């Protein structure tokens, strides 16, 4: 099969790999219909945080994808089942023609979904990243009523993850959601979804948050870019006893500065999120599929340009530059 190969930081090739086959009960092979680029892929491939075994892994770093089962030793996922692929994020595998999964790392799509309908399959592919956002949001702001009211939520970054956080924050009852980004095209989507937007650096996010919250700060701030500077700024704009959710992947393996004095002074809770793909029962991913099926969320703004495997490195570099108006890139094997 054809799949990407990352032999070193900054290089993505396409080569032939052995076809995968199930060897144990519960395993099955998926023919990938589509995969999508995640912001964490940029850090992994371009910024030096790739997994130590990356050069040995077919389809790395892709971990968002949809496809159809072609060979199976699973009672849950028989041949012909359309599935959302949920491999462990650090291992990847979706930038390929085929991949091996097991019962613990996939979600069946609704029976009406036609695997040959690329548009519909791409819509459900968004449930992978949306699922990681729902998992994170349950850590940042549990579904049980928190001690403080759901007043203001600030989301740093209007990429696909930030826009999923925006929709979930509104469903959880936040009175106002403020979204910041550099790209006006993404902010336009955020406004259409119901956010107050801030275009940085032309506008000063701390000043806007202070004005809109009457100096109190935001109850919840989510850093969805993956920037050490923004993680520090999140502490600046969060309210006393507020919560800061770190979602964007770390920039490097090196220690990063944290405004410790402000964290103590405000009694801030800092909450990271990782390993959603290990959630028992993949509850958050099932919920994401349901929301898409029932039309509770909008995802069509993510159906951007479609590219071949051979274009993967170029697409990653384009995404690194801001995407030029595209929220989500699709790779089709």
């Amino acid at each position: 099969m054809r799949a990407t190969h990352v032999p070193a930081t900054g290089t993505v090739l396409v080569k032939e790999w052995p076809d995968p086959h199930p060897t144990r009960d519960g395993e099955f092979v998926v023919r990938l219909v589509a995969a999508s680029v995640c912001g964490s892929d940029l850090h992994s491939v371009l910024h030096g945080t790739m997994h130590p075994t990356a050069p040995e892994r077919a389809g790395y770093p892709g971990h968002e994808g949809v496809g159809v089962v072609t060979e199976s030793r699973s009672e849950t996922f028989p041949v012909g089942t359309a599935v959302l692929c949920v491999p462990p994020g650090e291992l990847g595998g979706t930038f390929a023609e085929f991949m091996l999964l097991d019962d613990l790392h996939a979600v069946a799509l609704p029976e009406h979904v036609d695997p040959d309908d690329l548009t519909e399959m791409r819509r459900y592919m968004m449930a992978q990243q949306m699922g990681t956002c729902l998992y994170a949001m349950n850590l940042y702001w549990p579904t049980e009523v928190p001690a403080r009211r759901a007043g203001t939520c600030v989301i740093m970054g209007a990429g696909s993850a930030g826009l999923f956080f925006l929709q979930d924050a509104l469903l959880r009852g936040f009175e106002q959601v403020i979204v910041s980004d550099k790209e006006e095209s993404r902010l336009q989507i955020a406004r259409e979804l119901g956010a107050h937007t801030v275009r940085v650096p032309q506008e000063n996010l701390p000043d806007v948050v202070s004005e809109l919250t009457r100096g109190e700060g935001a109850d919840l701030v989510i850093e969805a870019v993956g920037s050490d500077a923004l993680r520090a700024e999140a502490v600046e704009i969060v309210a006393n006893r507020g919560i800061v959710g770190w979602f964007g992947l770390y920039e490097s393996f090196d220690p990063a500065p944290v405004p410790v004095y402000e964290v103590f002074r405000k009694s801030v809770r800092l909450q990271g999120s990782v390993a959603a793909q290990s959630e028992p029962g993949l509850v958050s991913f099932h919920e994401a599929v349901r929301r898409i099926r029932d039309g509770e969320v909008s995802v069509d703004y993510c159906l951007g340009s479609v590219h071949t495997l051979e274009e993967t490195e170029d697409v990653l570099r384009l995404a690194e530059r801001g995407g030029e108006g595209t929220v989500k890139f699709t790779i089709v094997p």
Side-chain angles (χ1 to χ4, degrees), residues 134-189:
L134 297 182
Y135 174 84
M137 198 65 160
N138 284 333
L139 295 174
Y140 306 154
W141 201 266
T143 50
E144 306 85 56
V145 179
R148 62 186 304 125
R149 68 183 179 87
T152 298
C153 175
V154 172
I155 299 166
M156 302 168 124
S160 52
L163 295 170
F164 292 150
F165 277 122
L166 160 61
Q167 296 187 72
D168 190 56
L170 292 172
L171 287 173
R172 290 175 191 250
F174 276 89
E175 296 169 6
Q176 66 175 343
V177 181
I178 304 168
V179 176
S180 65
D181 202 275
K182 295 180 178 180
E183 298 290 331
E184 174 57 29
S185 59
R186 295 182 177 187
L187 293 175
Q188 176 60 36
I189 297 170

Side-chain angles (χ1 to χ4, degrees), residues 44-64:
S44 298
V45 173
L46 304 179
H47 304 156
T49 62
M50 69 180 187
H51 196 275
T53 63
E56 306 165 16
R57 297 193 173 278
Y60 184 88
H63 54 274
E64 301 177 3

Side-chain angles (χ1 to χ4, degrees), residues 22-269:
T23 59
R24 297 181 297 180
D25 290 344
E27 290 184 336
F28 53 93
V29 172
V30 174
R31 174 179 63 82
L32 275 303
V33 172
S36 57
V37 172
C38 175
S40 63
D41 298 338
L42 310 184
H43 288 312
S44 298
V45 173
L46 304 179
H47 304 156
T49 62
M50 69 180 187
H51 196 275
T53 63
E56 306 165 16
R57 297 193 173 278
Y60 184 88
H63 54 274
E64 301 177 3
V66 284
V68 59
V69 177
T70 57
E71 187 179 357
S72 180
R73 291 186 57 174
S74 167
E75 295 182 0
T76 306
F77 298 96
V79 171
T81 305
V83 298
L84 174 72
C85 304
V86 192
E90 72 275 13
L91 301 183
T94 61
F95 292 162
E97 291 182 308
F98 297 92
M99 72 179 301
L100 181 67
L101 287 173
D102 59 37
D103 288 345
L104 299 179
H105 293 97
V107 174
L109 299 182
E111 292 184 0
H112 72 269
V113 175
D114 180 0
D116 294 324
D117 185 338
L118 180 59
T119 299
E120 187 74 350
M121 290 289 280
R122 290 173 70 202
R123 285 194 182 101
Y124 278 101
M125 181 167 62
M126 298 306 115
Q128 201 286 338
Q129 187 173 62
M130 188 187 299
T132 65
C133 293
L134 297 182
Y135 174 84
M137 198 65 160
N138 284 333
L139 295 174
Y140 306 154
W141 201 266
T143 50
E144 306 85 56
V145 179
R148 62 186 304 125
R149 68 183 179 87
T152 298
C153 175
V154 172
I155 299 166
M156 302 168 124
S160 52
L163 295 170
F164 292 150
F165 277 122
L166 160 61
Q167 296 187 72
D168 190 56
L170 292 172
L171 287 173
R172 290 175 191 250
F174 276 89
E175 296 169 6
Q176 66 175 343
V177 181
I178 304 168
V179 176
S180 65
D181 202 275
K182 295 180 178 180
E183 298 290 331
E184 174 57 29
S185 59
R186 295 182 177 187
L187 293 175
Q188 176 60 36
I189 297 170
R191 286 192 291 272
E192 292 171 357
L193 292 172
H196 181 103
T197 61
V198 180
R199 188 173 185 184
V200 293
Q202 292 90 335
E203 296 179 89
N204 182 278
L205 180 60
D207 287 348
V208 174
V209 172
S210 179
E211 179 182 352
L212 293 178
T213 63
R214 299 180 180 179
E216 293 184 1
D219 301 279
L220 172 64
V221 181
I222 300 173
E223 196 287 323
V225 175
S227 161
D228 290 340
L230 291 184
R231 278 184 271 266
E233 188 175 83
V235 175
E236 177 185 350
I237 63 179
V238 75
N240 290 335
R241 301 189 180 277
I243 299 168
V244 172
W246 286 348
F247 186 80
L249 196 67
Y250 38 85
E251 291 184 50
S252 73
F253 296 129
D254 297 329
V258 175
V260 176
Y261 169 71
E262 287 298 305
V263 171
F264 272 85
R265 185 180 71 83
K266 292 182 174 181
S267 190
V268 174
R269 174 157 72 84

Side-chain angles (χ1 to χ4, degrees), residues 293-328:
R293 182 198 67 196
D294 294 349
E296 292 182 9
V297 292
S298 175
V299 298
D300 280 4
Y301 58 82
C302 290
L303 304 185
S305 53
V306 177
H307 302 266
T308 65
L309 278 176
E310 285 73 15
E311 296 175 287
T312 300
E313 183 178 328
D314 292 338
V315 168
L316 291 174
R317 297 191 181 279
L318 177 57
E320 185 182 36
R321 297 195 298 271
E324 297 179 358
T326 298
V327 174
K328 201 77 168 168

